[in-house]
Amino acid sequence: MDELKLPSPCVVILAGPGASGKSTWAAERFAADLIVSSDRLRALVGAGEDDIAASADAFALLEEVVRQRIGRRLTTVIDTLGLDRERRLRWLALARDAGMPCVAVAFDTPAAECRRRNRSRPKSIPADALSSQLKSWTAVKKELPTEGYDDVLEPAVVRVVPSAFVDAGAAALRQEEAPARLRFGLQLSSYTHKEGRAGTAAWVREVAGRVEAAGFDAIYVMDHFRQIPQVGRAWEDFLESWTTLGYLAACTSRVRLGTLVSGITYRNVAHLGKIAATLDVLSGGRAVCGVGLAWFEQEHKAYGWTFPPVAERYALLEDALQLLPVLWGPGNKPFHGAVLDVPDTTCYPRPLQERLPLLVGGSGRRTLRLAARYADAVNVFGDVGTVRKHADFVRELGRPVELTHLSTTLVGKDHRAVDELVSRLRPRNQDPARYAASVNAGTVADQIGRFRELSEAGVAEVMISLPSLDTVETVAEVISAFRR
């Protein structure tokens, strides 16, 4: 049976008579923390799940729990009989107020099967009560399609996933039937590991070997001088980018190597060109020079650099994009730009590549125009729809330029592995669904579908940052789908 993916967060209302399979179905498909069960709450406020006398208190508590969870925009699976129309509509209204999708799952189990299951229970529902529920169900199943849910589903293989993966199944099937090519790069964004400073060189070498063996096409490093707040704390160990790339050149034999991306304010631009050319020679022609506007003002201040206004940085970036190819070309002709003046562009040895790739980082319209005018590639962020708009805009500018895409990516072999990774890696103060969405947590099949959609949107290379490098070998399964 095909898997149905529901977007996270969402509200799932189970409806059906007793012994129709609701609780069993929910427990098989959802983490226990997502399920709000009237039976479990009856056990909490009464003498057990079958304590009918505690039903009123249990439902009062259920209503409050559901209200609180939906108010916090948490995925909520409501496991009750679901036969009370007023309650269903109240839950639907809460979901709508919170801007969350809401589906009903109808358990239309034959009456004879419900009665058979009920008889086999250690403590069965009284026969007359079950008969009353079955009679009510006849009307309820006709009401559900009229009540305004996003969908009324039959019990099936259902999984709640980040919105990026809702349509990934169909895309993964397209990749299987008509494979598309896509390059993969790994972004190293953290150097925190268990070996300490003395073991850092060996750790980097070991990671590089695993990455190359997994089939990645490139390794990129962030160009910062201390860890950025989006990833970690300022005092965590963080290696200088171009020095690290030089070491990686000796640790690898195949992958391309570059920064993602070098802040244009961090170095004299002519010096940056010399560094990149040297890397290209020592790596056997595998260097990529990524440049960007530079955004981390706090880092500039900490190191005593000025942080120019945006307009000045754009002028510097535009000059740099023109100067760097001149440095990498023959001769020593001078360069006179809007803000850069380089009297002698001697740079020998020249790069081994006929054209050392220039990659610009950024998704703003002005950045995209610069990339389309001067660069070989531009690296963008965002979901598939956003990427498609960037691709259309760049295409309209006329000059061919590759689109690359950077995202944090957490990959598990199956949904249970994904759930375990999310539980282990998420910060204590962040709920699992939000963390899963922030790191694009999905199965191998989910990721194949997401990357196929990005490929169809116009992306030639995906760069991924892994929250756990333990998953490198799992990512290899995703990469292999784009090698067929």
Side-chain angles (χ1 to χ4, degrees), residues 109-132:
T109 307
E113 178 62 15
C114 291
R115 290 190 171 98
R116 185 194 66 77
R117 293 177 182 175
N118 187 47
R119 287 193 298 270
S120 66
R121 287 179 166 183
K123 293 186 178 181
S124 60
I125 304 169
D128 57 344
L130 181 57
S131 293
S132 176

Side-chain angles (χ1 to χ4, degrees), residues 116-250:
R116 185 194 66 77
R117 293 177 182 175
N118 187 47
R119 287 193 298 270
S120 66
R121 287 179 166 183
K123 293 186 178 181
S124 60
I125 304 169
D128 57 344
L130 181 57
S131 293
S132 176
Q133 293 170 17
L134 289 165
K135 184 177 180 181
S136 297
W137 174 244
T138 302
V140 168
K141 66 182 178 183
K142 296 177 182 177
E143 294 172 348
L144 290 174
T146 71
E147 292 177 353
Y149 305 103
D150 291 280
D151 207 345
V152 178
L153 309 172
E154 296 179 358
V157 181
V158 170
R159 185 160 56 96
V160 177
V161 297
S163 58
F165 300 119
V166 171
D167 298 321
L173 184 60
R174 293 196 296 275
Q175 180 62 21
E176 183 177 347
E177 293 175 343
R181 295 282 295 179
L182 186 65
R183 301 196 308 272
F184 283 77
L186 177 77
Q187 184 201 47
L188 272 179
S189 56
S190 173
Y191 301 94
T192 301
H193 57 92
K194 297 177 181 178
E195 308 306 319
R197 280 181 299 164
T200 294
W203 178 82
V204 171
R205 179 181 289 276
E206 184 262 340
V207 168
R210 290 170 55 209
V211 168
E212 202 162 48
F216 280 91
D217 299 283
I219 299 176
Y220 299 95
V221 297
M222 294 199 305
D223 187 27
H224 289 286
F225 300 90
R226 60 185 191 177
Q227 186 56 274
I228 61 175
Q230 296 91 325
V231 178
R233 298 163 295 186
W235 57 87
E236 292 176 0
D237 288 347
F238 197 84
L239 301 179
E240 195 280 325
S241 62
W242 288 95
T243 311
T244 303
L245 291 173
Y247 181 68
L248 285 168

Side-chain angles (χ1 to χ4, degrees), residues 2 28 65 149 169 193 207 226 322 335 355 390 404 412 473 476:
D2 291 338
E28 290 174 348
V65 171
Y149 305 103
H193 57 92
V207 168
R226 60 185 191 177
Q322 297 172 76
F335 175 85
R355 180 176 173 89
H390 293 328
T404 68
E473 285 71 26

Side-chain angles (χ1 to χ4, degrees), residues 360-383:
V360 177
S363 300
R365 288 295 175 96
R366 188 170 178 180
T367 302
L368 293 174
R369 287 191 185 96
L370 286 179
R373 186 173 182 183
Y374 301 112
D376 302 287
V378 59
N379 185 254
V380 300
F381 308 95
D383 60 18

Side-chain angles (χ1 to χ4, degrees), residues 17 169 188 215 220 257 283 287 413:
L188 272 179
Y220 299 95
L257 303 165
S283 66
K413 286 184 176 294

